[in-house]
Amino acid sequence: MFSVLYNNSGYLLLQISMRGDIAEYIALLLFPVVFVGGKKIFDPGSRQWMWLPVGMILVCYTHILSMILFALFLGCIYVLDYKQINLLMVKRLSVSIIITVLFCLPLLITMLMARSKTTVIIPIVPDVLINEAVSPSNLLYNSLNNAIPNSLLDVNLGLVVAIAGMVGILTFKHRNRELKIMEALGLFFTFLATNLFPWFVFQNTPVHIIQFPWRFLGLATFCFSFVFAELCPKKSDRLIGLLAVMICTVSFTYMHQYIYNSQATQRISNDSCYKQVATDAVYTDYMPTATLKDLDYTKVFHSKQNVHKHIATVNGQQVKLPQKSIISKYNVIQYKLTNLKRGRTNKVILPVLNYGKNYSTHGIRTQVSARGETEVTFVAKSSTQVIKVYVK
């Protein structure tokens, strides 16, 4: 029941549909693994606590921000369950942290090395945090309406999870402390997703990196799904089956609306359009700082720069490269350049970001341009030449 409810929730469907955020979607699918390990850390007779470092490592290599949110979630549980904390729990938690850090070192070192060579733009929020949080009335209305968000301010829990959250309030009449904690956390994270929480206090703090407070709805979805599944009668197969069918039906109506009513999918009528949709996306997050030098970050948010427009600078002149002249693969991108000075030195700034490790083939000198792009200098063998840039 938990699996059906959680995986068919409006928030997870949002990640895989309108947002197309595959990394965050996978991280949310791994969250139950992290949770099991985090809870079993208290059980002296269980080895399942090892799922904690395993899950955290997988999440780290998928979506680092989710790792931070999941750590916050576990921190809340440990604070509320402080009476269960003992020496064994502390040892297991310490071992989990050490294992996670060691296995994530390749990723962390790579990021630190890149950061040491060039500063990068942290995720840009076009507005202050509190304005990116959802209003309580919109959250309730859109959740009960099972609405597809037309904007990021319309993100919601979805009908089924909203009902599950309401049903979960009954746990406060039960003696089960674990369910009370989970329901309370679900309500707390829902509260954090709204503008009722004073997000303006954290505007100029590292918390700003979460970008969108509604990300906490992912944690709330997990809590409400867990509580509802625990409240379901354990011996009534027919009831469970009926509920599962109802949940899936509601999910299908959500996807039906998305496919047939969402403007976002009208452009994806066939597989060949996916590449265009992906390459048309405009982001400035994690670009080298030099790319937006002297520009107002919030004003140029989602505005196309030369690197987005595929504009190269060939010997001082800007040239828009046709799509057919650009071929990209896993770690290499090649450009077919024309109107070069044959037999002479050519300086070309290619529309591909350079974090200090880009390189090319023999005879082509590569360096970082003043705008954080890839500058190549070479003697052209002909007026038309293919240049390959490799990315470490």
Side-chain angles (χ1 to χ4, degrees):
M1 173 51 64
F2 166 80
S3 180
V4 172
L5 187 60
Y6 183 64
N7 288 285
N8 288 279
S9 64
Y11 187 81
L12 265 71
L13 290 176
L14 167 71
Q15 306 305 323
I16 200 66
S17 58
M18 190 188 85
R19 292 197 70 213
D21 197 334
I22 308 300
E24 192 165 351
Y25 177 75
I26 294 174
L28 288 165
L29 295 183
L30 291 168
F31 187 28
V33 178
V34 174
F35 175 75
V36 168
K39 289 294 291 182
K40 290 297 182 179
I41 208 168
F42 292 106
D43 187 350
S46 174
R47 295 184 179 180
Q48 291 186 12
W49 65 272
M50 285 298 296
W51 284 117
L52 176 58
V54 170
M56 279 298 196
I57 292 167
L58 294 174
V59 172
C60 181
Y61 278 93
T62 304
H63 193 244
I64 292 180
L65 183 55
S66 290
M67 182 181 180
I68 297 173
L69 293 177
F70 297 169
L72 172 64
F73 178 90
L74 291 179
C76 290
I77 287 183
Y78 295 154
V79 169
L80 294 173
D81 263 351
Y82 69 93
K83 291 183 178 180
Q84 295 189 49
I85 296 178
N86 52 39
L87 183 59
L88 177 63
M89 179 268 181
V90 173
K91 287 182 178 179
R92 287 179 170 181
L93 183 60
S94 300
V95 170
S96 297
I97 293 173
I98 293 172
I99 292 174
T100 301
V101 171
L102 288 177
F103 276 85
C104 293
L105 273 180
L107 174 64
L108 299 176
I109 291 175
T110 301
M111 293 175 63
L112 291 174
M113 289 178 64
R115 185 67 182 270
S116 66
K117 290 181 177 294
T118 180
T119 57
V120 298
I121 301 167
I122 63 172
I124 297 173
V125 179
D127 208 339
V128 293
L129 276 175
I130 196 166
N131 288 344
E132 295 298 324
V134 296
S135 72
S137 57
N138 283 348
L139 175 59
L140 179 61
Y141 175 79
N142 289 324
S143 295
L144 296 179
N145 196 37
N146 206 41
I148 299 172
N150 292 317
S151 72
L152 294 182
L153 291 179
D154 295 328
V155 177
N156 59 82
L157 292 166
L159 175 61
V160 177
V161 175
I163 294 175
M166 295 175 185
V167 172
I169 295 176
L170 298 174
T171 59
F172 294 115
K173 294 184 178 181
H174 289 207
R175 294 182 179 180
N176 192 321
R177 176 176 169 77
E178 182 182 30
L179 290 187
K180 290 181 180 180
I181 288 177
M182 291 296 289
E183 179 67 16
L185 286 177
L187 295 173
F188 173 65
F189 289 126
T190 302
F191 170 68
L192 289 184
T194 69
N195 54 22
L196 291 177
F197 185 78
W199 283 109
F200 58 85
V201 176
F202 301 94
Q203 182 61 33
N204 297 314
T205 69
V207 177
H208 184 269
I209 200 171
I210 69 169
Q211 294 179 281
F212 308 107
W214 45 254
R215 291 185 192 273
F216 286 104
L217 292 179
L219 302 180
T221 294
F222 178 88
C223 293
F224 293 149
S225 301
F226 179 89
V227 172
F228 185 82
E230 285 291 323
L231 291 177
C232 281
K234 299 296 186 290
K235 297 181 179 180
S236 180
D237 293 338
R238 290 185 179 181
L239 177 59
I240 297 297
L242 179 60
L243 286 173
V245 170
M246 290 176 63
I247 291 170
C248 290
T249 301
V250 174
S251 300
F252 292 152
T253 62
Y254 177 98
M255 296 306 295
H256 180 275
Q257 291 181 67
Y258 174 73
I259 293 172
Y260 292 101
N261 300 329
S262 172
Q263 292 299 317
T265 54
Q266 296 302 321
R267 300 177 299 157
I268 316 178
S269 55
N270 55 66
D271 292 346
S272 63
C273 295
Y274 276 99
K275 183 176 181 179
Q276 180 181 350
V277 173
T279 54
D280 282 348
V282 177
Y283 293 98
T284 53
D285 297 349
Y286 306 112
M287 279 185 169
T289 306
T291 309
L292 298 184
K293 184 179 180 181
D294 301 325
L295 298 177
D296 187 324
Y297 289 0
T298 57
K299 289 184 179 179
V300 299
F301 182 75
H302 281 185
S303 63
K304 288 193 172 184
Q305 308 299 311
N306 283 354
V307 69
H308 298 116
K309 299 176 183 176
H310 307 299
I311 294 178
T313 302
V314 181
N315 297 319
Q317 295 186 342
Q318 289 194 340
V319 178
K320 181 173 176 58
L321 302 176
Q323 190 66 45
K324 62 181 180 180
S325 69
I326 305 173
I327 299 176
S328 58
K329 297 181 181 179
Y330 168 65
N331 66 338
V332 61
I333 182 169
Q334 69 179 41
Y335 298 91
K336 185 177 182 180
L337 303 175
T338 58
N339 298 322
L340 298 173
K341 297 177 181 178
R342 182 180 178 183
R344 298 171 60 183
T345 300
N346 291 261
K347 181 182 289 186
V348 180
I349 299 176
L350 296 170
V352 57
L353 298 176
N354 191 341
Y355 294 91
K357 286 194 171 185
N358 290 6
Y359 65 97
S360 190
T361 52
H362 180 71
I364 300 177
R365 187 165 67 90
T366 306
Q367 63 184 29
V368 182
S369 74
R371 286 287 183 182
E373 296 175 298
T374 302
E375 181 179 303
V376 293
T377 306
F378 60 97
V379 176
K381 298 178 181 179
S382 62
S383 60
T384 300
Q385 187 169 331
V386 174
I387 302 296
K388 292 183 178 181
V389 175
Y390 295 87
V391 182
K392 282 189 178 180

